[in-house]
């Protein structure tokens, strides 16, 4: 919003939204930073939750300019070394330890069909997009190219189609779930490659 108001030469409104954004950033750092990574979320009674390994929040903090330089210097090497994000060669898992959710973290039972209490904990295109933003911020072009290659290869195995998500299996593979032909991965693949064309044509 601040950038938009700057573009249309409304400096007072730009300043207002910049202050709002700065306030959100300060609160995020205060409540989410856990010393070596960010909490995944804050539970209303359980407080900051950070025992599911590293999460997409860590990528988001870097990719969207929330983390401080000092936090990035701690966080980025850990993110680079964490192989579980690309479990089964499929970027990017939402958390690196999906089977550690406690009963009180899970939603209440519902009276209609659903896919299990941790169905959202999988490799999903939207999580890969968050990772690509962190990678771009850090200018880690080798990682960007490799992740795009892995996503492309996953689609080629299925005749040019992707599933909605890919769940971790204990033998280092992933299990595809959701509709085949889901648009999220190909849309982000196109955006990643065409939006960083010079990186992919070096």
């Amino acid at each position: 919003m601040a950038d938009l108001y700057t573009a249309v030469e409304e400096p007072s409104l730009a300043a207002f939204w910049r202050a709002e954004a700065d306030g959100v950033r300060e609160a995020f750092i205060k409540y989410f930073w856990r010393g070596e990574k960010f909490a995944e979320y804050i539970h209303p009674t359980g407080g900051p939750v950070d025992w599911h390994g590293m999460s997409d929040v860590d990528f988001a903090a870097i990719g969207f300019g929330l983390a401080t330089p000092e936090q990035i210097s701690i966080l980025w090497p850990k993110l680079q070394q964490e192989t579980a994000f690309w479990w089964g060669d499929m970027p990017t898992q939402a958390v690196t330890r999906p089977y550690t959710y406690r009963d009180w973290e899970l939603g209440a039972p519902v009276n209609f069909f659903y896919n299990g209490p941790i169905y959202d904990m999988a490799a999903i295109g939207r999580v890969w997009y968050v990772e690509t933003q962190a990678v771009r911020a850090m200018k880690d072009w080798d990682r960007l190219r490799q992740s795009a290659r892995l996503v492309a290869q996953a689609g080629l195995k299925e005749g040019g189609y992707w599933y909605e998500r890919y769940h971790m299996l204990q033998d280092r593979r992933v299990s595809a779930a959701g509709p085949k032909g889901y648009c999220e991965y190909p849309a982000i693949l196109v955006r990643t490659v065409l939006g960083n064309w010079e990186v992919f044509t070096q």
Side-chain angles (χ1 to χ4, degrees):
M1 291 296 293
D3 290 345
L4 286 172
Y5 277 117
T6 298
V8 297
E9 299 180 354
E10 292 280 2
S12 61
L13 289 170
F16 170 81
W17 286 108
R18 182 64 61 201
E20 291 288 296
D22 289 344
V24 170
R25 179 176 182 267
E26 290 171 11
F28 173 77
I29 290 172
K30 178 179 179 180
Y31 293 109
F32 277 74
W33 181 243
R34 309 301 291 161
E36 59 179 21
K37 64 179 179 176
F38 287 96
E40 182 185 351
Y41 69 97
I42 297 179
H43 190 274
T45 57
V49 172
D50 65 355
W51 49 80
H52 308 133
M54 305 193 81
S55 76
D56 54 351
V57 177
D58 296 308
F59 284 122
I62 295 174
F64 299 112
L66 298 171
T68 67
E70 293 77 13
Q71 290 166 338
I72 292 172
S73 69
I74 296 170
L75 196 56
W76 186 243
K78 294 179 180 295
L79 290 169
Q80 288 179 303
Q81 294 165 15
E82 180 52 84
T83 60
F85 276 121
W86 291 3
W87 192 276
D89 287 335
M90 192 64 201
T92 305
Q93 293 288 333
V95 297
T96 57
R97 298 175 62 200
Y99 296 106
T100 57
Y101 283 85
R102 301 172 185 178
D103 289 342
W104 56 264
E105 294 184 76
L106 307 177
V110 293
N111 60 359
F112 54 84
F113 174 79
Y114 75 117
N115 290 295
I118 61 169
Y119 185 69
D120 285 339
M121 297 304 109
I124 314 172
R126 70 204 78 154
V127 181
W128 179 45
Y129 175 73
V130 172
E131 180 188 345
T132 66
Q133 300 313 292
V135 170
R136 291 178 62 197
M138 300 306 296
K139 296 181 170 53
D140 189 344
W141 307 129
D142 286 341
R143 185 180 179 98
L144 188 68
R145 284 187 290 262
Q146 178 63 6
S147 70
R149 186 177 297 113
L150 291 173
V151 168
Q153 288 171 349
L156 289 172
K157 290 176 184 176
E158 297 292 336
Y161 292 97
W162 289 261
Y163 289 86
E164 182 185 20
R165 58 192 70 211
Y166 299 81
H167 293 280
M168 281 186 182
L169 299 177
Q170 298 301 320
D171 60 0
R172 300 294 295 190
R173 294 183 299 120
V174 290
S175 175
K180 183 179 181 180
Y182 201 71
C183 65
E184 204 167 289
Y185 270 107
I188 295 165
L189 179 62
V190 169
R191 174 183 286 188
T192 298
V193 174
L194 297 185
N196 303 276
W197 188 243
E198 69 287 350
V199 172
F200 288 92
T201 55
Q202 289 177 355

